[in-house]
Amino acid sequence: ESDDVVEKEMVLVKIPLETNLAGLDAILSGYNGIVANSNEDSLIVMAVDDVLKIKNFIKIMINKFHPTQIVRGGSVSMER
């Protein structure tokens, strides 16, 4: 991200509810994340941040919460 451009990426992560969700709120707040959807089997969380932060977010999600699905939306940018 340069000074002239705002660049963000989005990711959706599906986490099974049988997973220990301790610490999820803190991780989501650190990566501009929210719980986008939930049902009786899983949570879908969404994070929007710069590309490097999203890569780190995905690593944390994989190591801590063992997601069943991850979908990255790709990078979008706009001039300031």
Side-chain angles (χ1 to χ4, degrees):
E1 185 172 311
S2 74
D3 290 340
D4 298 330
V5 177
V6 175
E7 184 176 9
K8 299 293 179 188
E9 182 172 345
M10 185 207 50
V11 64
L12 295 171
V13 180
K14 186 184 287 187
I15 303 169
L17 280 183
E18 62 265 8
T19 303
N20 180 352
L21 300 175
L24 181 61
D25 285 339
I27 294 167
L28 290 177
S29 68
Y31 290 91
N32 299 313
I34 62 167
V35 174
N37 188 272
S38 64
N39 63 30
E40 63 277 354
D41 300 320
S42 61
L43 287 177
I44 297 175
V45 298
M46 176 179 71
V48 178
D49 218 317
D50 64 54
V51 173
L52 290 176
K53 281 191 163 187
I54 292 300
K55 285 181 182 179
N56 289 335
F57 178 79
I58 291 170
K59 286 179 188 176
I60 291 169
M61 290 290 111
I62 290 170
N63 292 330
K64 188 164 176 65
F65 301 107
H66 313 290
T68 57
Q69 192 172 4
I70 298 173
V71 178
R72 291 176 78 162
S75 184
V76 295
S77 62
M78 180 180 286
E79 286 185 69
R80 292 186 191 270

